[in-house]
Amino acid sequence: MLGLPMCQQFDGAIPAGMVRAVDAEADSMIAQAEALGRQGKVGKEIKLLKKVATQHQVAPNADKARFMLGQAYESTGDYREAFKQYSRLIDRYPQSALYRDALNRQLSMAMRGAQGKLTVPVLWGAWHSNMESDKVVEWLRYIIDKAPYNDMAATAASLLGNFLVEKRRYEEARMEYARLVEKYPDSPYAPAAQLMVAQLWASNRTRGENNLVNLTNAREAYEEFCLRFPNHKDAHKALAQVSNMKRLMVQQQLDVGKYYLYRSNEYQSAIFCFEDVVRQRSVNPEAAAEAAQLLAKARAAANRK
């Protein structure tokens, strides 16, 4: 017996040495809550469990009270509060036998949220809408951070990347996929994640500036896939994409040269670009042939200038 007050409050993890060996009052209240849950009296069950969770934090079954609270809130459709209660178990009782169960419950909710299968009340319950995207992202990031098991964390990371792509948050998605590959290279999700990194870099060349940079990053990402997963069934496709990225990069260089020649009258810059394209004839012969013709025009224009 440590002589601590029964209602001592903790904001973080409960020190293992402070957990009581016995707390008959807490055990009795949990048993009453279980009976109330079986009778369908969820409101009263929640009220009793909250009392245990807040006033008996060092009881041997305090983690169970938190878990039951999460389940009770889930049963009422209050998923935000359910997730919060599971988080409090995870944060305050890291040694609990229910730690992984709580994470699994959170992952299940996050997956349903990502699939649009969780609805939340809007305007005092007048209607319901899907769980907010930012909340789903927040949940998945929490699970990735807290999951001590690589399989669970990698599953959440893959789900998060896919969800961000679906929401057209491409930059965030690419970063999440890259982190998945780095942290969980042996995960079955890693090859697909590496391909998504490459594909997102490649698709990014059609949006905004720095096309050559994006193509270079895409090529390097495909090359990394081939290095990391040489025996993967899609390795030959990745190799083909490496060649395609190189071809596109040469084409981009040709387009830059055309811009210098026809739009900005920067003939020396145009000459530099066209010469570079001609040197890469083996990568993109069509672009090299066109560059050779334009090179003569650029040199003539430079001489006149």
Side-chain angles (χ1 to χ4, degrees):
M1 184 72 67
L2 294 173
L4 295 172
M6 298 292 284
C7 60
Q8 181 161 350
Q9 299 294 303
F10 293 89
D11 292 327
I14 306 297
M18 291 188 177
V19 176
R20 292 174 178 270
V22 177
D23 189 331
E25 183 180 4
D27 292 343
S28 175
M29 293 167 70
I30 289 173
Q32 292 175 52
E34 289 175 325
L36 290 168
R38 288 192 294 270
Q39 296 168 22
K41 299 176 180 178
V42 181
K44 291 183 177 181
E45 177 192 11
I46 288 174
K47 185 177 180 180
L48 198 54
L49 289 170
K50 287 175 74 173
K51 187 174 181 180
V52 177
T54 55
Q55 297 183 14
H56 296 262
Q57 292 190 51
V58 295
N61 283 333
D63 58 336
K64 181 179 178 180
R66 285 289 179 189
F67 189 80
M68 290 174 62
L69 264 175
Q71 291 180 306
Y73 278 116
E74 264 197 272
S75 72
T76 67
D78 192 345
Y79 302 111
R80 294 191 191 91
E81 189 61 34
F83 196 95
K84 184 188 298 183
Q85 294 301 327
Y86 292 132
S87 294
R88 286 178 176 167
L89 186 159
I90 291 164
D91 294 337
R92 297 180 184 181
Y93 306 98
Q95 304 304 318
S96 170
L98 293 168
Y99 188 101
R100 183 163 188 168
D101 291 334
L103 275 169
N104 276 322
R105 292 308 312 154
Q106 290 183 321
L107 182 58
S108 175
M109 285 194 294
M111 290 178 70
R112 284 182 285 152
Q115 295 165 358
K117 295 179 180 178
L118 284 190
T119 59
V120 293
V122 178
L123 196 60
W124 300 287
W127 71 85
H128 285 67
S129 68
N130 289 339
M131 183 66 70
E132 307 95 315
S133 297
D134 285 346
K135 182 59 67 174
V136 174
V137 170
E138 176 190 320
W139 285 359
L140 287 168
R141 285 181 173 153
Y142 177 87
I143 294 165
I144 294 167
D145 180 57
K146 295 294 182 179
Y149 311 97
N150 288 359
D151 57 340
M152 185 186 297
T155 299
S158 177
L159 182 61
L160 175 55
N162 297 344
F163 182 70
L164 289 168
V165 168
E166 181 184 326
K167 298 303 177 182
R168 300 185 179 181
R169 294 164 62 171
Y170 301 117
E171 181 71 10
E172 293 177 76
R174 181 182 56 75
M175 293 174 67
E176 293 297 341
Y177 286 129
R179 275 194 284 267
L180 192 163
V181 175
E182 288 302 316
K183 292 187 70 174
Y184 313 108
D186 298 325
S187 163
Y189 300 105
Q194 183 63 38
L195 281 178
M196 285 303 299
V197 170
Q199 291 169 17
L200 287 168
W201 274 124
S203 63
N204 200 42
R205 73 185 179 87
T206 63
R207 300 188 294 271
E209 305 295 333
N210 300 318
N211 287 351
L212 283 173
V213 172
N214 293 333
L215 286 172
T216 299
N217 289 332
R219 186 203 71 207
E220 291 176 351
Y222 281 121
E223 289 174 341
E224 185 173 346
F225 178 90
C226 296
L227 289 172
R228 285 180 178 271
F229 313 107
N231 299 318
H232 193 275
K233 63 182 179 63
D234 290 328
H236 67 287
K237 296 179 183 178
L239 278 172
Q241 285 299 327
V242 170
S243 298
N244 186 46
M245 291 301 104
K246 291 178 178 178
R247 184 184 63 79
L248 287 171
M249 288 169 66
V250 174
Q251 181 64 47
Q252 288 285 335
Q253 187 76 331
L254 175 64
D255 293 339
V256 171
K258 289 179 180 179
Y259 173 84
Y260 285 134
L261 176 62
Y262 295 124
R263 300 281 296 278
S264 67
N265 298 326
E266 295 286 342
Y267 302 121
Q268 289 301 326
S269 296
I271 289 169
F272 174 82
C273 289
F274 294 143
E275 287 177 341
D276 189 47
V277 172
V278 171
R279 280 194 295 269
Q280 299 184 74
R281 183 177 289 106
S282 62
V283 177
N284 191 331
E286 296 84 2
E290 185 177 356
Q293 297 176 358
L294 294 174
L295 180 58
K297 290 184 179 181
R299 285 171 174 166
N303 289 334
R304 289 195 299 272
K305 187 176 181 183

